[in-house]
Amino acid sequence: MSTREPPAGTFKTVAAGLYHSLALREDGSLVGWGWNDYGQAQAPEGEFTAMAGGTWHSVALRRNGTLCGFGKNEFGECDVPEGDDFIGVAAGLENSLAVRADGSLVGWGRNAFGKLELSADRSFTAVAATDRFSVGLRRDGSLVVWGDTDVCGDVPDGEYVAIDGGMYHAIALAADGTIAFFG
């Protein structure tokens, strides 16, 4: 599906790319809509648990722990790594990121601004991508930022439970329910 209108039905979660959106249905299937010139809104078949929309591409996490990428693949941003142990995904401008079950990070695509210069740390539970920097959420709730840290500004201290990235900014949901915004 590739229309401007969101699909009908009930959903578990949503993700937004530059001009496209994705939604995860209750049955685990994906649906996409919006601008689809590169296939970034053409959701593959299968059962999924998470997805992320990048600028011109998307990545999704299958229920079996494997990844798939779709859309523009000029810099390898859709060439997902092998493995069936992934627990989270993120998509940026021309890059993608994923978290493995052991807490390690994997990145692929274009490494502009050092967005793919990943930490060897194995304590991550989530990752987020922006146009210029990447953010990792550790098990202890702390945040780690890499890439163009001049653009991201001061990374907030605290205990966080969720993160996401926009074009030049990131947001983090704190354990106390407040939101931190940086970038």
Side-chain angles (χ1 to χ4, degrees):
M1 170 186 289
S2 178
T3 68
R4 291 181 181 253
E5 299 298 320
T10 57
F11 300 90
K12 293 173 24 173
T13 189
V14 295
L18 182 61
Y19 297 118
H20 70 287
S21 301
L22 303 166
L24 181 64
R25 293 186 185 276
E26 291 290 331
D27 67 0
S29 63
L30 282 183
V31 62
W33 67 98
W35 199 53
N36 193 38
D37 282 13
Y38 301 107
Q40 68 270 31
Q42 187 64 44
E45 292 186 18
E47 291 185 47
F48 297 87
T49 60
M51 68 283 179
T55 304
W56 310 117
H57 76 288
S58 300
V59 291
L61 173 60
R62 294 185 186 278
R63 188 174 307 278
N64 67 4
T66 62
L67 300 174
C68 70
F70 47 103
K72 189 173 183 179
N73 195 31
E74 184 176 1
F75 298 97
E77 58 267 44
C78 294
D79 295 338
V80 299
E82 291 185 20
D84 61 0
D85 61 341
F86 293 99
I87 61 169
V89 294
L93 176 62
E94 296 161 334
N95 67 300
S96 301
L97 301 161
V99 181
R100 291 188 184 271
D102 68 359
S104 63
L105 299 176
V106 180
W108 61 99
R110 186 171 179 225
N111 189 26
F113 310 106
K115 297 181 292 187
L116 298 180
E117 294 171 12
L118 307 174
S119 169
D121 189 343
R122 290 181 176 259
S123 66
F124 293 98
T125 60
V127 67
T130 77
D131 177 52
R132 307 281 291 247
F133 61 91
S134 300
V135 184
L137 174 63
R138 289 186 172 138
R139 285 186 192 108
D140 67 3
S142 64
L143 302 176
V144 178
V145 176
W146 60 95
D148 189 350
T149 55
D150 290 337
V151 170
C152 83
D154 293 332
V155 179
D157 290 328
E159 184 180 342
Y160 295 92
V161 297
I163 56 174
D164 203 357
M167 186 65 125
Y168 298 112
H169 72 285
I171 56 174
L173 175 63
D176 67 4
T178 60
I179 293 175
F181 174 92
F182 52 101

